[in-house]
Amino acid sequence: MRVFVTGATGFIGSAVVRDLIEAGHQVIGLARSDTAAAALMAAGADVHRGSLDDLDVLRSGALTADGVIHLAFIHDFSDFAAAAETDRQAIEAIGSALEGSDKPFVVTSGTLMLTPGRLGTEVDEPIPVTPRRSEEAAIALAKRGVRSSVVRLAPSVHGEGEQGFVPTLIGIARQKGVSAYVGDGRNRWPAVHRLDAARLFRLVLEKGDTGAIYHGVAEEGVPFRDIAGVIGRQLNLPVRSITREEADAHFGWLSFAASTDNPTSSELTKERLGWQPVYPALIADLEQGHYFNN
């Protein structure tokens, strides 16, 4: 299968590209810079030049492929609504090129959009207040004859080279001189290793059902205080509780995620696709030390 991948040079996307190629697929990756294009060529992928807001480029990439995996997202939390709108338009543009083709289209979402405080499953709908409309757009396309499906990723997609939530927490701890958690720290983060996530995207591309939602979750919920604890040990910093009122000032834009209880199941995903995570769990990954080398 020839697969068009957006976000193909990112932390997760680069692993997806490698997994696809190793499984015998051809990859064409979206690249907005010479550096990204060079990385794709080095990985053995073809290059499709353009950016996420160039809708004609996205349509043409989809038309040249046998399937699409959409991973790209503008991670600008200072204007998340605008980033979400760019994502929605990108999904609709790609979907318009796939209507009637029976080509698979895998769209990325996140488990943080589920109702907090209870175990989320693949059949649960996202909370209506979220500005991100990835799932809504994908499901709407499924009703228009596009073979679209959704992968909800855990907030912690971890592994060597991550630049997301966990490195941000480490940076905050270094800056503040303390590794903090909110309240009793029992709020839970689901987690998945990037290489397990990459294999899941390929399986959904190959075997996913139209309109289905899958969970990229290896651990249902790691207590946030355990994450804060290993960060404190690795940095030789105190670990302490802060109040919810203090969280915004301490964590900044990450305050919501750091305070939210987001336990999430992937049992239906495993059952439907035969997906079984095999790479290190989050705390074990952190204990290896590579997150703290910089």
Side-chain angles (χ1 to χ4, degrees):
M1 190 183 300
R2 183 170 170 82
V3 187
F4 177 44
V5 181
T6 72
T9 58
F11 175 65
I12 302 169
S14 58
V16 170
V17 168
R18 185 176 72 182
D19 190 273
L20 288 168
I21 291 173
E22 289 178 351
H25 298 291
Q26 294 178 295
V27 173
I28 175 170
L30 184 67
R32 63 180 179 180
S33 69
D34 292 341
T35 301
L40 285 169
M41 289 187 288
D46 294 332
V47 175
H48 191 66
R49 294 299 294 260
S51 61
L52 192 59
D53 57 2
D54 192 333
L55 303 185
D56 287 337
V57 165
L58 298 180
R59 292 187 193 98
S60 64
L63 286 170
T64 66
D66 303 311
V68 180
I69 295 177
H70 175 54
L71 286 154
F73 191 83
I74 300 171
H75 291 94
D76 180 4
F77 293 95
S78 66
D79 194 354
F80 189 74
E85 177 60 16
T86 298
D87 183 52
R88 184 193 65 79
Q89 291 182 14
I91 292 168
E92 291 191 353
I94 293 169
S96 69
L98 298 178
E99 284 190 58
S101 68
D102 198 37
K103 297 176 181 178
F105 181 23
V106 185
V107 172
T108 307
S109 181
T111 69
L112 279 175
M113 296 195 301
L114 295 172
T115 301
R118 64 181 179 85
L119 187 67
T121 73
E122 293 87 340
V123 300
D124 292 328
E125 295 185 359
I127 54 178
V129 295
T130 178
R132 188 169 183 179
R133 299 299 181 194
S134 312
E135 296 186 19
E136 182 180 294
I139 299 306
L141 287 171
K143 294 177 181 178
R144 286 162 45 192
V146 178
R147 209 172 117 203
S148 55
S149 53
V150 174
V151 173
R152 289 175 179 156
L153 287 174
S156 179
V157 181
H158 58 91
E160 193 160 0
E162 183 197 347
Q163 298 178 345
F165 282 2
V166 172
T168 301
L169 289 175
I170 293 169
I172 292 169
R174 284 184 167 131
Q175 178 188 4
K176 304 286 187 177
V178 61
S179 182
Y181 56 86
V182 179
D184 62 11
R186 292 183 180 178
N187 59 298
R188 293 154 290 181
W189 267 20
V192 64
H193 195 281
R194 70 188 285 251
L195 299 181
D196 285 318
R199 190 169 76 260
L200 175 60
F201 274 99
R202 174 172 58 81
L203 290 173
V204 174
L205 179 84
E206 294 171 342
K207 303 194 293 184
D209 293 326
T210 301
I213 294 174
Y214 301 93
H215 281 180
V217 171
E219 296 175 272
E220 289 189 352
V222 183
F224 193 87
R225 65 183 177 186
D226 291 355
I227 301 171
V230 70
I231 290 173
R233 290 194 302 274
Q234 289 284 341
L235 296 179
N236 196 27
L237 291 175
V239 180
R240 70 175 178 87
S241 169
I242 61 174
T243 67
R244 183 63 188 86
E245 291 71 26
E246 295 172 307
D248 287 346
H250 185 88
F251 290 111
W253 65 265
L254 196 54
S255 175
F256 169 75
S259 307
T260 297
D261 187 32
N262 183 226
T264 307
S265 170
S266 59
E267 289 307 307
L268 289 176
T269 297
K270 293 172 183 175
E271 178 183 326
R272 293 168 178 169
L273 298 176
W275 177 65
Q276 289 297 329
V278 297
Y279 288 94
L282 176 57
I283 296 300
D285 201 8
L286 287 169
E287 294 283 14
Q288 292 179 11
H290 56 81
Y291 271 90
F292 305 92
N293 291 334
N294 296 329

